[in-house]
């Protein structure tokens, strides 16, 4: 199995409007309801790729029951810790006239301290049955900032591939546990280091800094622009295929899933990440995050470019 850890899953609603106007009544052309959150998106794509993901985190309330039922209907394995706080719901608003996509994020609520003890028990119990640990998303408010670091350390003891996609203090704390790869986007990297990164050479220096702090490899994404990978003493630029995106939400999670799947199948970092950027593009061709189609992925794979890169002197 691949353990997908995400404390803050969500119900997801996607609403399409002919032309969105602020401070006005807007009537949707179409409303789609589904399940999401970063770890859920990763697990959905892993299953599409033929892997066996196991989801864990927190769920609560009626929305939590709906999310659990939706995952069961998708055939995804899950082992949640139930908490009093209801599972959140996020809404994606699409303006068809401009192509603009706006994400309305309901933040997660605090959970009792003992809930993290129970989640830790799930992680410890399941890791020996897994090949990889993927950590996705933020911790709940008031959570122990070292929780992800403890999970990474436990996974490393088992010899597992570990990928961390989170922000700020939780990301900083994981570095000493030596994750296999950390995956911030450019804005998250700037926030982590508390400094602007105006160009690619500055990003490359920041990536090397994270490796000096303990990360074996670093992947920095930039939306539809080229991503940068630093691994095994080398740098690569990853250029995704050019597409007419419908909804880019979840593309980073799709990248994570495909990259991990290919690494577990023996691909080197550049090739695994080529699959990742193709999966991210394929995800953007669907309205609901994490529900890419394999024909799209296979077609876009040929258009994804990975090239060795050196910062300009």
């Amino acid at each position: 199995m691949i353990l997908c850890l995400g404390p803050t899953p969500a119900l997801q609603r996607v609403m399409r409007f002919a032309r969105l106007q602020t401070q006005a009544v807007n009537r949707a052309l179409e409303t789609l309801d589904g399940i999401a959150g970063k770890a859920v998106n990763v697990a959905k794509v892993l299953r599409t790729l033929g892997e066996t993901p196991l989801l864990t985190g927190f769920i609560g309330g009626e929305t939590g029951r709906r999310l659990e039922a939706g995952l069961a209907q998708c055939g995804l394995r899950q082992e949640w810790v139930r908490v009093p706080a209801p599972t959140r719901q996020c809404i994606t608003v699409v303006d068809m006239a401009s192509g603009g996509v706006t994400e309305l994020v309901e933040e997660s609520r605090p959970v009792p301290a003992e809930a993290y003890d129970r989640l830790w028990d799930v992680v410890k119990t399941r890791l020996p049955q897994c090949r990889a640990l993927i950590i996705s998303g933020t911790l709940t408010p008031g959570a122990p900032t070292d929780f992800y670091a403890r999970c990474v350390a436990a996974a490393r003891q088992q010899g597992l591939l570990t990928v961390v996609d989170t922000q700020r203090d939780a990301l900083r704390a994981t570095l000493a546990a030596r994750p296999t790869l950390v995956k911030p986007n450019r804005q998250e990297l700037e926030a982590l280091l508390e400094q602007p990164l105006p160009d690619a050479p500055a990003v490359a220096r920041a990536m090397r800094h994270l490796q000096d702090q303990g990360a074996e490899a670093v992947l920095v994404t930039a939306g539809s622009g080229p991503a940068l990978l630093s691994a095994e003493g080398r740098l690569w630029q990853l250029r995704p295929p050019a597409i007419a995106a419908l909804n880019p939400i979840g593309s980073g999670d799709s990248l994570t899933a495909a990259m991990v799947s290919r690494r577990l199948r023996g691909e080197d970092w550049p090739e695994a990440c080529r699959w990742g950027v193709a999966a991210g593009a394929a995800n953007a061709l669907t309205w609901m995050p994490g529900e890419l189609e394999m024909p799209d992925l296979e077609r876009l794979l040929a258009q994804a470019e990975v090239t060795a890169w050196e910062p300009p002197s």
Side-chain angles (χ1 to χ4, degrees):
M1 295 186 297
I2 299 171
L3 187 59
C4 300
L5 170 60
T8 58
L11 294 181
Q12 184 76 39
R13 173 166 288 181
V14 177
M15 303 181 72
R16 296 196 299 118
F17 298 86
R19 185 181 300 275
L20 194 65
Q21 294 180 297
T22 60
Q23 301 182 9
V25 175
N26 292 268
R27 302 187 185 278
L29 297 172
E30 181 182 35
T31 297
L32 304 171
D33 286 311
I35 47 178
K38 293 182 70 64
V40 172
N41 296 338
V42 169
K44 288 192 290 184
V45 175
L46 284 171
R47 187 174 184 277
T48 299
L49 296 173
E51 307 293 349
T52 306
L54 171 65
L55 273 160
T56 191
F58 301 125
I59 61 170
E62 175 58 28
T63 47
R65 286 188 286 273
R66 287 165 54 195
L67 181 134
E68 187 175 31
L71 289 167
Q73 191 172 21
C74 293
L76 284 162
R77 298 186 64 175
Q78 49 189 317
E79 188 171 348
W80 302 104
V81 172
R82 297 188 180 279
V83 295
T87 296
R88 65 200 181 114
Q89 181 172 40
C90 298
I91 300 173
T92 302
V93 178
V94 182
D95 182 347
M96 299 298 292
S98 67
V101 177
T102 302
E103 185 74 354
L104 306 177
V105 177
E106 179 184 352
E107 293 287 8
S108 59
R109 305 182 193 186
V111 302
E114 57 88 18
Y116 274 96
D117 295 332
R118 288 188 285 146
L119 184 56
W120 173 238
D121 287 340
V122 173
V123 172
K124 287 190 300 180
T125 300
R126 291 300 186 178
L127 281 178
Q129 306 159 37
C130 294
R131 297 180 294 154
L133 168 66
I134 303 175
I135 294 173
S136 306
T138 59
L139 294 164
T140 57
T145 55
D146 68 342
F147 181 76
Y148 284 162
R150 291 166 59 200
C151 295
V152 169
R156 293 285 299 187
Q157 288 180 348
Q158 300 283 341
L160 306 186
L161 172 69
T162 55
V163 175
V164 178
D165 182 1
T166 189
Q167 306 178 44
R168 296 185 181 271
D169 291 343
L171 173 57
R172 184 178 291 108
T174 66
L175 296 174
R178 300 185 60 246
T180 310
L181 180 136
V182 296
K183 185 184 151 290
N185 62 36
R186 188 158 172 170
Q187 292 73 29
E188 290 166 346
L189 185 57
E190 289 179 330
L192 178 70
L193 300 179
E194 299 179 338
Q195 65 182 54
L197 302 171
D199 52 29
V203 174
R205 290 191 295 271
M207 294 166 72
R208 293 268 168 76
H209 174 72
L210 297 194
Q211 290 177 286
D212 291 342
Q213 297 298 308
E216 289 188 14
V218 180
L219 175 63
V220 177
T221 56
S224 60
L228 288 177
L229 169 69
S230 179
E232 300 172 345
R234 299 183 63 189
L235 284 165
W236 288 270
Q237 186 179 75
L238 318 172
R239 190 174 296 278
I243 59 166
L246 299 180
N247 179 10
I249 305 300
S251 289
D253 307 321
S254 302
L255 187 161
T256 298
M259 175 187 64
V260 169
S261 176
R262 301 311 297 188
R263 282 295 286 172
L264 292 175
R265 297 178 189 216
E267 302 284 8
D268 62 15
W269 279 116
E271 179 63 10
C273 289
R274 189 170 74 90
W275 277 81
V277 295
N283 173 82
L285 297 179
T286 64
W287 291 116
M288 190 62 65
E291 299 186 5
L292 60 80
E293 300 288 343
M294 281 303 297
D296 288 334
L297 172 55
E298 291 164 355
R299 173 175 55 84
L300 292 169
L301 182 61
Q303 303 172 37
E305 299 178 5
V306 178
T307 55
W309 185 78
E310 289 292 336
S313 57

